[in-house]
Amino acid sequence: MIPAGAIESVRATLDEIVRRSAEICRRTGRDAVQIMEVCGTHTMSFAASGLRGMLPDTVRLLSGPGCPVCVTTPGDVDRAVWFARQPGVTLVTFGDMMKVPGSAGSLSDARALGADVRMAYSPADALELARGDPQREFIFLGVGFETTAPLVAATVRAAAREGIRNFSVFPLFKLVPPALRAILARRDHHIDGFILPGHVSAIIGLDPYRFVADEFGVPGIIAGFEPFDLLEALPMLLRLCRQEKAAIDIQYTRGVPAGGNPAALRILKEFFLPAEAVWRAVGAIPDSGLAFRPEYDAFNAVRKFPGMPAHDPPEPKGCLCGAILMGRILPADCPLFGAACTPETAVGPCMVSSEGACAAAYKYGLTETSRWKKSRRRQEVAVRS
Amino acid sequence: MCLAIPGRIIERTGTMGRADFGGLVRAVALDLLPDAEVGDVVLIHAGFAIQTVDLSMEPEIAERLIAR
Amino acid sequence: MNEANGRILLAHGAGGRLTHELIESLFVRRFDNKPLAALDDSAELKLPDDCRIAFTTDGYVVKPIEFPGGDIGRIAVCGTVNDLAMLGARPLGLSVALILEEGLERETLNRIVDSMADAAKEAGVELVTGDTKVVERGAASGLYIVTSGVGMIPYGLSLSGRNARVGDAVLVSGTLGDHGITVMNAREGLGFEGDLRSDAAPLNGLVENMLSVHSSVRVLRDLTRGGLATALNEISRASGVLIEIEETAVPVRNSVLAGCQMLGLDPLYVANEGKLVAMVDETYASGVLRAMRDHPRGREAVRIGTVLKGEAGVVMRTPIGGARRLLMLDGDPLPRIC
């Protein structure tokens, strides 16, 4: 049980959120402060902790593009499936990517049809598979953001040092700051502040976000993932929103030094060059991906297995995931949401991923929660009387 | 977008180590934290330590997270 | 010595001498009971007059076939005994069909059938009829087991997912997620060390204890695939009630929680093989809890929530005073890093 004092402090924090957001709304003349949580794990924390449903109407959370499942294009899934179907090849992936549909099915479907697709918790485990079976080729599906890319680089370094030749990576990494720039560059974004991803920041630190405040005048807080982290981060952000000059600050100080992780940043530089990447439903963003430096071609699956299909199937008709990921509309504003598009019949990426904005909105449905609150209040009254 | 949970390093040999997550122990790669030592609490993402948790910041919270 | 010695061959399933030897050595010696020893085509069971029967069947294909805390044989017995127990039925007899992959080591098979015998003894149930078949190498993964069970429902007892009533207490018999995380760790080679163990166990003894407390138990459900959240959703729909649970009250072992967090899984959706949830008349809830804690399979039993009036659904109150809807599991939970 949570001690009464803790609940009291939650109430006090919520009161502060109510007060400060209302004040900002009065000043801006808008109905809500719009806060984008960039990271899918934050989306989940807000929903699973129940905090999302406790926030006042004057705070509106927008779920950003920080979920690799959401931003991997169907074309890239098709290419991963193509790799998995090459003779003598095992494709190793994080479980996250198994069910993401491409134009001709997911990796899970490919496995059902005979392709050798395996899940791994760590890229180091994928390398271990390669060590144990030198006759087979192992390709690791390199998805993720700045948090994950250094791990894969370290794994490639280990493979290079040991002279392991049957291991390569299909790089689909994406970078957060360029995506924020793409969002902010559009005039119609309506974002008042960012909750910035804690574990990406554990690697890159604070500096790469400075442009968000300096060039675009939007504040941001780097936050942790526990409910109490979010409860601390929101008032911090609202306080920044009031300031004349926008700034970026860190709530998650226990895990994010301002300088990030220098060793991880070094290894990223050593192995990768920034490259244009295509974000699902958003499009191409310059320098928002990572390509292997040419000296590591031997570990680049794209070089090692020529002939990868270049075709990119069109996005599903009517799907507004792009606008949702960019913070321009809410899931419920999409005509497909909850009708043609549900977790069982997901049309767009935000519903496919369990972390996606639409899946979270559907699963932890706010309308249902408020209905529950009402019936709960009635029964409490009944018990008391 | 990235799950990472705190664990305490209980062993280190070169770039490999083992970390304790409140009763669950797993091998962790320490390539990205060359200075990490036994006893440090680190954030683990996909089998790699990515950052040292600064226990001085919020000691109670950090301890609670590891010991739960 | 031939390498095939000590392994299962196709001939073991051909119905001839080898088949007989296998059945004799596997079953008759271990499961010494009259109906089985007769080796007739069916087992004959004696029933009291006017008795209601519970009848259930289940297939077991778990991979790997052996894991900390259990194996496919143990869960094949426990799973079927538990399905009977959830109706309050006392098991009368089980049938077992083994589908063996050619080349399976006899040693392994012996261990698994021993484990079935132990579990059956623990549950106080007899294995009264069985069958073995052998399939070509590659056509199965080690072995599969299908068990069916017949049980007798005590006079006047009616347990069903439809019976939950507003005001009922929601009880669970112990920690959640142990089995699912243990098996996933073994299957996917996740490298977790520590006290992870499957909870596979027969629950009929625990249920007997619970039913001895007045006629206060309305619903029992074992928390296998889909975990607690899925079971509560099924009950909520069948009974047309809202179920509310308290997150801080739900028991999860530290190591299981750590494993779940590392893999992005929710212990409320992870499978168990020796846990149940019960909806119990509020008035007798503490008595039922005491009865549960008196049984080795219910030492850590706790109350986690209450049945409320409202639209069917499951809501969990969170430690910060919020609420979260719990939906049914969709798809297979996969380990993830994001």
Side-chain angles (χ1 to χ4, degrees):
Chain A
M1 284 290 149
I2 273 288
I7 290 285
E8 282 312 306
S9 81
V10 170
R11 288 212 183 107
T13 307
L14 285 171
D15 285 345
E16 185 183 347
I17 293 170
V18 170
R19 211 175 54 241
R20 288 190 186 277
S21 58
E23 197 184 304
I24 295 169
C25 288
R26 267 198 306 280
R27 218 187 46 225
T28 58
R30 284 193 277 119
D31 66 330
V33 182
Q34 305 219 84
I35 295 173
M36 174 175 277
E37 87 276 6
V38 179
C39 169
T41 308
H42 276 144
T43 307
M44 289 296 284
S45 298
F46 271 117
S49 65
L51 184 51
R52 203 183 170 104
M54 298 163 84
L55 294 175
D57 294 342
T58 45
V59 173
R60 189 171 298 142
L61 294 172
L62 309 173
S63 304
C67 152
V69 173
C70 292
V71 297
T72 301
T73 65
D76 282 333
V77 174
D78 289 349
R79 285 181 272 278
V81 167
W82 179 84
F83 280 120
R85 289 209 179 120
Q86 298 308 298
V89 165
T90 297
L91 187 94
V92 189
T93 176
F94 295 128
D96 310 52
M97 295 302 297
M98 284 300 280
K99 290 178 190 161
V100 185
S103 67
S106 63
L107 286 168
S108 182
D109 298 331
R111 182 167 73 176
L113 293 172
D116 190 3
V117 179
R118 294 190 218 171
M119 278 183 287
Y121 165 65
S122 171
D125 299 346
L127 183 60
E128 187 58 39
L129 290 173
R131 250 185 224 117
D133 191 353
Q135 303 309 313
R136 252 190 114 65
E137 281 291 337
F138 290 83
I139 301 178
F140 186 71
L141 183 57
V143 294
F145 295 89
E146 289 92 331
T147 324
T148 313
L151 281 51
V152 180
T155 306
V156 169
R157 185 167 64 187
R161 283 181 181 163
E162 285 179 52
I164 295 175
R165 291 168 182 282
N166 61 327
F167 178 78
S168 58
V169 175
F170 176 31
L172 292 174
F173 303 109
K174 297 197 167 52
L175 303 176
V176 170
L180 298 183
R181 181 177 286 281
I183 289 170
L184 291 167
R186 296 197 48 143
R187 293 287 156 117
D188 56 348
H189 65 70
H190 304 313
I191 293 166
D192 296 304
F194 286 103
I195 297 281
L196 295 166
H199 291 142
V200 163
S201 308
I203 302 290
I204 68 173
L206 187 147
D207 278 345
Y209 302 113
R210 289 215 189 268
F211 76 92
V212 172
D214 296 348
E215 289 179 39
F216 296 94
V218 178
I221 293 284
I222 296 169
F225 299 89
E226 297 291 329
F228 62 79
D229 287 321
L230 298 173
L231 274 167
E232 190 173 49
L234 281 173
M236 281 176 83
L237 183 59
L238 292 172
R239 266 173 255 151
L240 287 183
C241 287
R242 275 199 56 215
Q243 283 178 14
E244 275 309 304
K245 193 172 165 356
I248 307 292
D249 201 356
I250 306 175
Q251 175 275 328
Y252 194 29
T253 46
R254 68 180 182 282
V256 181
N261 179 335
L265 292 171
R266 260 198 314 277
I267 199 170
L268 278 182
K269 273 224 171 92
E270 187 186 331
F271 282 81
F272 299 113
L273 288 166
E276 181 181 276
V278 181
W279 297 57
R280 179 157 188 193
V282 174
I285 303 177
D287 290 342
S288 70
L290 293 171
F292 272 109
R293 287 180 179 272
E295 52 266 45
Y296 298 104
D297 272 357
F299 297 98
N300 182 353
V302 179
R303 294 263 174 267
K304 202 168 173 182
F305 299 87
M308 180 179 85
H311 177 69
D312 275 296
E315 294 292 342
K317 262 206 182 122
C319 172
L320 297 182
C321 281
I324 292 168
L325 290 173
M326 301 287 275
R328 296 207 305 281
I329 64 167
L330 289 170
D333 299 331
C334 174
L336 303 185
F337 179 77
C341 186
T342 68
E344 285 82 33
T345 61
V347 176
C350 300
M351 190 65 92
V352 170
S353 162
S354 63
E355 282 191 352
C358 297
Y362 184 88
K363 283 195 182 175
Y364 304 107
L366 302 177
T367 48
E368 280 80 357
T369 308
S370 56
R371 213 181 296 148
W372 167 81
K373 271 187 197 158
K374 268 185 220 140
S375 91
R376 171 81 199 168
R377 264 199 301 275
R378 273 203 307 276
Q379 286 176 61
E380 268 170 7
V381 171
V383 169
R384 266 189 231 114
S385 53
Chain B
M1 61 185 79
C2 310
L3 296 171
I5 73 163
R8 191 182 296 278
I9 301 180
I10 54 171
E11 241 178 78
R12 165 156 207 166
T13 321
T15 58
M16 281 311 290
R18 277 154 42 89
D20 178 12
F21 305 84
L24 190 80
V25 173
R26 193 192 189 273
V28 294
L30 299 168
D31 304 64
L32 307 176
L33 280 186
D35 301 327
E37 290 172 18
V38 170
D40 283 356
V41 174
V42 294
L43 288 172
I44 313 283
H45 169 64
F48 283 70
I50 58 165
Q51 194 51 267
T52 309
V53 179
D54 188 343
L55 290 170
S56 69
M57 295 286 180
E58 301 130 279
E60 277 174 34
I61 288 171
E63 286 296 337
R64 204 177 75 215
L65 287 176
I66 303 146
R68 58 175 134 202
Chain C
M1 270 296 266
N2 180 335
E3 215 196 317
N5 284 346
R7 289 181 185 269
I8 293 297
L9 308 173
L10 281 175
H12 281 114
R17 185 179 55 82
L18 277 176
T19 305
H20 274 267
E21 277 176 20
L22 183 70
I23 289 172
E24 280 282 337
S25 72
L26 276 185
F27 294 116
V28 180
R29 270 177 228 166
R30 284 181 179 83
F31 304 96
D32 180 23
N33 62 62
K34 252 196 203 152
L36 179 68
L39 287 182
D40 285 329
D41 285 344
S42 299
E44 183 184 320
L45 304 175
K46 289 202 168 51
L47 301 175
D49 292 341
D50 194 26
C51 145
R52 282 179 306 147
I53 293 289
F55 180 37
T56 184
T57 191
D58 217 334
Y60 298 86
V61 296
V62 65
K63 200 174 158 184
I65 57 179
E66 295 179 289
F67 42 83
D71 55 51
I72 191 170
R74 183 167 176 83
I75 62 172
V77 170
C78 297
T80 296
V81 166
N82 293 349
D83 283 346
L84 293 174
M86 294 308 114
L87 290 190
R90 299 196 181 103
L92 291 171
L94 299 188
S95 79
V96 54
L98 297 178
I99 317 281
L100 310 175
E101 182 188 13
E102 180 188 14
L104 176 71
E105 286 182 24
R106 279 296 289 266
E107 286 268 313
T108 310
L109 181 59
N110 287 340
R111 276 201 307 278
I112 282 166
V113 181
D114 277 340
S115 161
M116 294 181 82
D118 290 345
K121 201 172 156 203
E122 205 180 321
V125 61
E126 285 182 341
L127 209 152
V128 293
T129 183
D131 181 41
T132 59
K133 290 285 185 313
V134 181
V135 296
E136 283 165 44
R137 195 173 184 115
S141 172
L143 83 158
Y144 301 143
I145 303 179
V146 178
T147 51
S148 300
V150 175
M152 196 177 67
I153 302 173
Y155 183 77
L157 184 68
S158 164
L159 296 176
S160 158
R162 292 187 303 268
N163 294 355
R165 284 191 218 158
V166 174
D168 282 356
V170 182
L171 315 177
V172 293
S173 63
T175 55
L176 301 182
D178 300 71
H179 174 78
I181 288 292
T182 303
V183 169
M184 186 180 276
N185 182 36
R187 185 179 56 229
E188 308 291 344
L190 298 173
F192 296 157
E193 304 157 36
D195 59 356
L196 293 182
R197 277 179 76 77
S198 167
D199 59 356
L203 295 173
N204 55 327
L206 174 70
V207 170
E208 293 263 336
N209 271 22
M210 295 172 73
L211 295 178
S212 69
V213 185
H214 213 70
S215 54
S216 52
V217 180
R218 299 215 168 91
V219 182
L220 292 175
R221 187 71 48 118
D222 62 342
L223 304 175
T224 53
R225 276 177 308 178
L228 175 69
T230 303
L232 290 178
N233 269 284
E234 287 164 1
I235 296 165
S236 142
R237 276 186 206 176
S239 296
V241 292
L242 175 67
I243 299 174
E244 183 189 84
I245 63 170
E246 199 77 46
E247 185 173 349
T248 47
V250 176
V252 182
R253 222 173 284 288
N254 279 342
S255 52
V256 172
L257 187 61
C260 282
Q261 286 175 336
M262 246 186 269
L263 303 174
L265 302 175
D266 187 337
L268 297 174
Y269 290 89
V270 177
N272 310 275
E273 286 293 344
K275 297 291 154 49
L276 60 80
V277 65
M279 311 284 146
V280 176
D281 187 334
E282 163 82 47
T283 321
Y284 302 98
S286 53
V288 175
L289 257 186
R290 266 197 307 278
M292 291 171 85
R293 289 177 182 156
D294 280 345
H295 192 275
R297 299 296 166 204
R299 292 263 183 266
E300 296 171 287
V302 283
R303 176 172 182 170
I304 58 164
T306 306
V307 177
L308 297 178
K309 208 171 135 193
E311 209 168 305
V314 182
V315 166
M316 182 162 76
R317 286 163 76 89
T318 65
I320 59 165
R324 166 189 162 194
R325 262 180 93 201
L326 297 178
L327 295 185
M328 286 222 184
L329 175 69
D330 54 313
D332 194 16
L334 299 178
R336 57 195 179 90
I337 58 124
C338 285

